[in-house]
Structures are given as C-alpha cells and as structure tokens.
Amino acid sequence: MKFGTTLRKSIYQPWKDKYVDYDKLKKLLKDNEDDDTWTSDDEEAFVNELANVQLEKVHDFIVDISQKLRDRTSACEKKLEPLAIGVQSGDNNEGKDGDSRDSKGEGLFAQAGDASKKPELSEATRQKLLKEVLRELDSVTKETKELESFSRLNFTAIIKATKKHDKLRGVSYKLRPFIDARIVARPLHTEDASPLLYRLSALYSFVRQSLEGKSKDSMSFGEDSTSGEGFTSHKCTCRLWQSRHDTNAA
C-alpha cells in the first residue's frame, strides 16, 4: 500500500487539517508527471512547502496539544484535591530529588497538602466527581495515544517526501541533511512524556482505589495495582515513546 493511502486511512478526524499534506508535496515534486524539467523555482517551492509550511504546522500543533494535555491533567488534579486528605504518596514513586512531584514540580502529590484546608465532600458529590475525572482521564489517555500516532505518521511523511525528492530531483542537491537539521530545531515527536504519564497513572490509581471504596489509610497515590484500561494503555504509550526516543537518538 502506498504511504499516501496509509496516511489518509490513519488520520484522526478531529485533527485532519493538521497532518502533512502529502499529496500537495507529491504534486509540487511533479512525482506523477512525465515532464522531467525541474527548475530552481520548483526546488524553492517544494523546499519552502516541506520545511517552512508542513513541518512548522505539524511541530506547532504537537507543542500546542502537548501543553493542553498537561493542562487538562492539572485540572483533574485540582478537582481531586478535596479527596486527597489523609492519603499518602507512595515512596516508590518519588522523583529524583526525593519528592513525588514531576520534573516541573507539578502533580497531585505536590498539591495534596493544601487539601487539608478544605472540607470533605459528601459521598454523592465524591462519587460524581470521581466518575467525571475518570471520564476526563480516559479522554486524555485517548488523545495522548492519538498524538503519538500523529507524531509518528507525520515524521514518516516528512522523511518519505524528502527521500522522494532526493531520488527524483537530488542530482545536484540532496535535501535530507537540511531536513534532518530542521527536525532537530522543530521536532516532530512529542517531548519526554514520562512526567505526564506518571501523573496520569497516579491519578488513575487514586480514582480507581477511591471508586473501589478503599479506606484512606490504605490508599496511596503511588500504588501500581490499578486495573484501569486507561492506565494500561498509558504504560504501552510510554514504551512507544521511549522506543521512539531511543531510535531517534541512535
């Protein structure tokens, strides 16, 4: 199956306008024409579209969605603050500096101390809140996975378009070194997701334990025993991110 077809079939519809326009790049490259003429204007138009339009569009979108996912996670943590009274964070989830915050000092653990200043919620309100947060965590999980797929597909599209240029039009100029440098400056992969994934897994654990009716003195933010589908998918996503990071580093 040609990559253009694969890309079209893999698009996450809410983000359809944010993907690389692979067909436009092929058209600019004159990939489907018998005319072998290739002018300096053609070269400039293709390189500008690839490096300055398509790559920038994808990079900016990844940065924007990544920040929104972090913000939504923070909002979930904020909602759960009143339920954090008397719950301890697990020692096995401590950060490098010995506390249970992520690399930016964010997270439910860092905020839990303020919860003692707030009144406890009624059981009905508590259950409603937990279910609302769980639905939001499922949504954030889904978009986290979609963003990884989005990142991977668009990275592949940029590289394939570059290789196609160098094969068809690269007699005097190879574009790949330039594009590689541009991708370093404008990465098409998400940043290290470990802090966000840690926060999400901790939230899943806390919500699941709360919904299962565990007593507060037996609950821990750091407990890994959650059976939530979203938490499992986050662990898989984390492995995908790590594998991608290691491959790119090599």
Side-chain angles (χ1 to χ4, degrees), residues 42-57:
D42 292 330
E43 180 74 21
E44 182 179 354
F46 177 81
V47 173
N48 180 67
E49 183 67 29
L50 179 64
N52 298 327
V53 178
Q54 300 297 328
L55 190 153
E56 289 283 347
K57 174 180 71 175

Side-chain angles (χ1 to χ4, degrees), residues 91-108:
D91 292 339
N92 60 331
N93 284 326
E94 291 183 350
K96 293 181 180 180
D97 56 355
D99 64 25
S100 49
R101 295 171 294 176
D102 65 25
S103 62
K104 294 185 179 180
E106 300 172 334
L108 181 60

Side-chain angles (χ1 to χ4, degrees), residues 70 73-74 77 102 106-107 195-203:
R70 289 192 294 270
T73 303
S74 295
E77 291 166 339
D102 65 25
E106 300 172 334
L196 176 61
L197 294 172
Y198 166 72
R199 292 166 65 190
L200 286 166
S201 65
L203 288 169

Side-chain angles (χ1 to χ4, degrees), residues 5-184:
T5 302
T6 301
L7 178 60
R8 285 191 293 274
K9 289 185 175 182
S10 303
I11 283 177
Y12 178 50
Q13 286 302 312
W15 300 345
K16 62 182 180 180
D17 296 332
K18 304 301 181 180
Y19 286 76
V20 166
D21 191 340
Y22 195 70
D23 290 337
K24 183 176 183 179
L25 290 172
K26 287 180 63 178
K27 184 176 179 180
L28 286 172
L29 197 54
K30 300 182 178 180
D31 183 33
N32 298 318
E33 297 180 12
D34 295 330
D35 185 359
D36 289 333
T37 60
W38 183 253
T39 68
S40 59
D41 288 342
D42 292 330
E43 180 74 21
E44 182 179 354
F46 177 81
V47 173
N48 180 67
E49 183 67 29
L50 179 64
N52 298 327
V53 178
Q54 300 297 328
L55 190 153
E56 289 283 347
K57 174 180 71 175
V58 173
H59 167 75
D60 290 347
F61 184 72
I62 289 172
V63 171
D64 179 57
I65 294 298
S66 295
Q67 184 59 54
K68 287 179 178 176
L69 290 171
R70 289 192 294 270
D71 291 344
R72 290 171 66 187
T73 303
S74 295
C76 288
E77 291 166 339
K78 190 72 174 178
K79 286 183 178 180
L80 291 174
E81 279 184 27
L83 307 185
I85 302 170
V87 182
Q88 301 298 318
S89 62
D91 292 339
N92 60 331
N93 284 326
E94 291 183 350
K96 293 181 180 180
D97 56 355
D99 64 25
S100 49
R101 295 171 294 176
D102 65 25
S103 62
K104 294 185 179 180
E106 300 172 334
L108 181 60
F109 314 133
Q111 299 167 353
D114 295 334
S116 60
K117 302 175 184 177
K118 301 179 180 180
E120 291 199 48
L121 303 177
S122 68
E123 183 60 24
T125 301
R126 182 173 173 274
Q127 289 292 316
K128 180 181 178 181
L129 175 60
L130 286 167
K131 290 175 182 178
E132 287 177 352
V133 171
L134 185 59
R135 285 193 295 270
E136 177 66 358
L137 290 175
D138 287 341
S139 177
V140 173
T141 296
K142 182 179 186 299
E143 288 209 354
T144 301
K145 294 169 67 179
E146 292 292 351
L147 188 61
E148 167 58 21
S149 176
F150 176 89
S151 166
R152 185 170 58 250
L153 280 168
N154 284 285
F155 175 83
T156 301
I158 292 291
I159 295 302
K160 281 188 172 292
T162 302
K163 288 181 177 180
K164 191 174 290 290
H165 167 277
D166 288 355
K167 179 180 179 180
L168 297 175
R169 311 298 181 188
V171 175
S172 59
Y173 173 67
K174 297 295 184 183
L175 186 56
R176 181 64 185 269
F178 171 70
I179 292 299
D180 284 347
R182 289 285 290 167
I183 289 176
V184 170

